[in-house]
């Protein structure tokens, strides 16, 4: 547990529509737990497909309640941009962590787990576990 | 010795050459990528030159760290964090010295290239920018012209390779026969060193 403060979740996609929709989906599946701050950082600042470091940084700050920030990313530049920002050390909240998880399934697992008041380690574990659910 | 002005000229020369070659980079990126490499890099290096005109960067390291940060913020595609990391790590390796010699720069650039390999998980032969950067760094002790020739050869040598990283890797064997746009733009970056040096 994390003193009642929820872990924040940032969803980084190449597409603003994808990031926003996945955030909605994850929030919609929470039910009645703690309100979890979820921010979408999709596409470039101009509204195109791609990744914006500025949007990611702003999203991370907006969901940081002091209990840690879990970042999920979809493809190529989204993943690389988050990793490059984390490597820098001062561009994301100190507790921010990129989760090694599938984007949609991991986001749902992360948000639902965070809504139980779980800490960042538990949120990360739940999101990573989403990789183990085989579909066939 | 190389001072901050040299590194500003390097970035400016890269911006000019990226602008000139943007259509060719995008054309290379059409069959095997998402056809935005030229426009992405043009946007990024335009932001780099604007930042260098506006913000104080008085050492070689500061110039490269500022340039790298602007690329990560503005490019939008994977080349942003990759080139951004290359320049930022190289700049940080240079430290706060007011001038660096060519050997010191070669060592710092190798630190930057290693950081790019770590970030992207690419090795030589994967058909990426690494295929021109690694030969360039290896050749750099022989001077900027040698590095430029090695980078251009490295970029051309990506044509018969099958991509193992990035968007092009989804194409499998269909990526064979196309020169890699990232290796090509990396060769422009290296070639701009010679231009900054007045060659």
């Amino acid at each position: 547990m994390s003193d009642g403060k929820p872990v924040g979740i940032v969803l980084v996609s190449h597409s603003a529509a994808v990031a926003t929709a996945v955030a909605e989906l994850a929030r919609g599946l929470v039910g009645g737990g703690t309100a979890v701050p979820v921010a979408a950082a999709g596409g470039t600042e101009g509204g195109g497909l791609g990744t914006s470091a500025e949007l990611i940084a702003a999203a991370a700050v907006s969901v940081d309640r002091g209990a840690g920030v879990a970042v999920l990313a979809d493809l190529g530049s989204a993943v690389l941009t988050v990793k490059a920002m984390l490597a820098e050390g001062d561009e994301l909240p100190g507790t921010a962590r990129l989760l090694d998880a599938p984007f949609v399934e991991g986001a749902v697992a992360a948000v639902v787990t965070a809504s139980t008041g779980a800490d960042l380690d538990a949120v990360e574990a739940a999101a990573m576990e989403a990789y183990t659910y085989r579909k066939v | 010795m190389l001072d901050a002005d040299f590194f500003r000229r390097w970035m400016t020369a890269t911006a000019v050459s990226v602008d000139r070659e943007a259509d060719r980079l995008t054309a290379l990126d059409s069959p095997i990528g998402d056809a935005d490499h030229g426009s992405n890099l043009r946007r990024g290096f335009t932001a780099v030159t604007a930042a260098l005109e506006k913000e104080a960067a008085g050492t070689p390291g500061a110039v490269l760290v500022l340039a790298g940060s602007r690329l990560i913020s503005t490019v939008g595609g994977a080349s942003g964090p990759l080139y951004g990391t290359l320049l930022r790590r190289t700049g940080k390796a240079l430290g706060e010295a007011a001038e660096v010699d060519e050997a010191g720069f070669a060592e710092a650039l190798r630190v930057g290239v290693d950081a790019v390999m770590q970030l992207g998980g690419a090795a030589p032969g994967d058909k990426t920018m690494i295929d021109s950067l690694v030969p360039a760094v290896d050749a750099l002790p022989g001077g900027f012209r040698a590095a430029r020739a090695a980078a251009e050869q490295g970029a051309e040598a990506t044509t018969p390779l099958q991509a193992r990283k990035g968007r092009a890797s989804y194409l499998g064997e269909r990526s064979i026969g196309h020169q890699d746009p990232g290796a090509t733009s990396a060769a422009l970056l290296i070639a701009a060193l010679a231009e900054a040096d007045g060659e």
Side-chain angles (χ1 to χ4, degrees), chain B residues 5 32 62 74 77 111 132 136 143 182:
Chain B
D5 276 339
I32 59 171
T74 57
V111 171
S132 54

Side-chain angles (χ1 to χ4, degrees), chain A residues 50-51 54 77 80-81 84 88 91, chain B residues 73 76-78 81 88 92 119:
Chain A
T51 307
E54 263 78 21
S77 69
L80 292 177
T81 301
E88 211 54 20
E91 294 180 349
Chain B
S73 292
R88 286 207 298 210
K92 286 186 176 178
L119 177 65

Side-chain angles (χ1 to χ4, degrees), chain A residues 10-70:
Chain A
V10 174
L11 303 177
V12 184
S13 170
H14 273 59
S15 150
V18 169
T20 306
V22 172
E24 245 172 64
L25 170 65
R27 282 193 208 102
L29 295 180
V30 162
T34 312
V36 177
V38 182
T44 63
E45 282 181 89
L49 297 180
T51 307
S52 159
E54 263 78 21
L55 291 181
I56 296 168
V61 168
S62 78
V63 299
D64 188 7
R65 302 287 183 273
V69 175

Side-chain angles (χ1 to χ4, degrees), chain A residues 80 84 87, chain B residues 68 72 80-90 112 115-116 119:
Chain A
L80 292 177
Chain B
I72 292 175
L82 292 169
Y83 278 113
T85 293
L86 174 68
L87 296 181
R88 286 207 298 210
R89 289 301 177 84
T90 301
V116 173
L119 177 65

